[in-house]
Amino acid sequence: VSSYLSVAAARTSSDSERWLSIIEGWNLWLKHPLLGAGLGGYVQERLLAGREFLVIHSIPVWLMAEMGLIGLLLVGIVLAMLVNNAFQLMMQADRHGWGIGLLIILMCMTAAGLVHDFFFQRSFWFLLGLYVSAGFMTDGRQRGRPNPV
């Protein structure tokens, strides 16, 4: 038990690793601002320097570091399109709830993505896929077609 505690006490905290990854990701972006260092570039730099595996704990910083401003812009456009879709759904009386649901998912994931690496997690893609598939099932019932499920 004492050896475990000494290792745990010597290890840097999760918060300091998170901030370290964000700072190093920012510095990597400064070296490659337009196209980024390439997918996996941050981890590769760390491993080549003999340091342990660590991902960037911020989606915007990760996109800038590894895909540059172009990658950040493309993901930003998709996010803007999804937000626009949410507001369009909210304007329709029969789909108001779907618009609110999509907007809540996007707001939560965007806010949490500032300090977490949700693009690497299944939770974001699962929620988005579940939302989309549930919407298609509702569309089928509203048009008089039988529900395929």
Side-chain angles (χ1 to χ4, degrees):
V1 173
S2 63
S3 63
Y4 172 77
L5 292 176
S6 66
V7 170
R11 187 169 182 263
T12 58
S13 73
S14 174
D15 290 340
S16 62
E17 284 182 348
R18 185 176 318 279
W19 285 111
L20 176 66
S21 73
I22 292 171
I23 292 167
E24 289 178 347
W26 183 264
N27 289 334
L28 184 60
W29 172 69
L30 291 175
K31 293 179 193 174
H32 311 278
L34 190 58
L35 296 174
L39 193 58
Y42 174 74
V43 172
Q44 182 180 4
E45 273 201 11
R46 284 188 61 88
L47 295 177
L48 288 174
R51 298 165 69 201
E52 65 180 48
F53 180 89
L54 180 67
V55 296
I56 298 173
H57 284 78
S58 171
I59 292 173
V61 175
W62 168 67
L63 289 170
M64 291 188 317
E66 296 193 355
M67 295 176 224
L69 288 177
I70 292 175
L72 181 66
L73 179 66
L74 291 174
V75 172
I77 289 170
V78 171
L79 177 63
M81 291 170 58
L82 287 169
V83 169
N84 182 45
N85 188 311
F87 280 110
Q88 288 179 0
L89 290 171
M90 288 170 46
M91 299 296 189
Q92 302 171 20
D94 60 334
R95 296 179 183 211
H96 181 76
W98 287 108
I100 291 174
L102 178 58
L103 194 58
I104 289 171
I105 290 171
L106 294 173
M107 285 175 26
C108 289
M109 291 299 182
T110 301
L114 293 174
V115 292
H116 295 285
D117 54 340
F118 276 127
F119 267 21
F120 294 111
Q121 306 294 323
R122 290 179 287 253
S123 57
F124 171 73
W125 302 108
F126 177 76
L127 282 174
L128 199 57
L130 183 65
Y131 179 83
V132 169
S133 65
F136 283 128
M137 288 175 29
T138 302
D139 284 348
R141 276 188 259 140
Q142 287 177 348
R143 293 191 179 109
R145 294 186 301 235
N147 189 350
V149 178

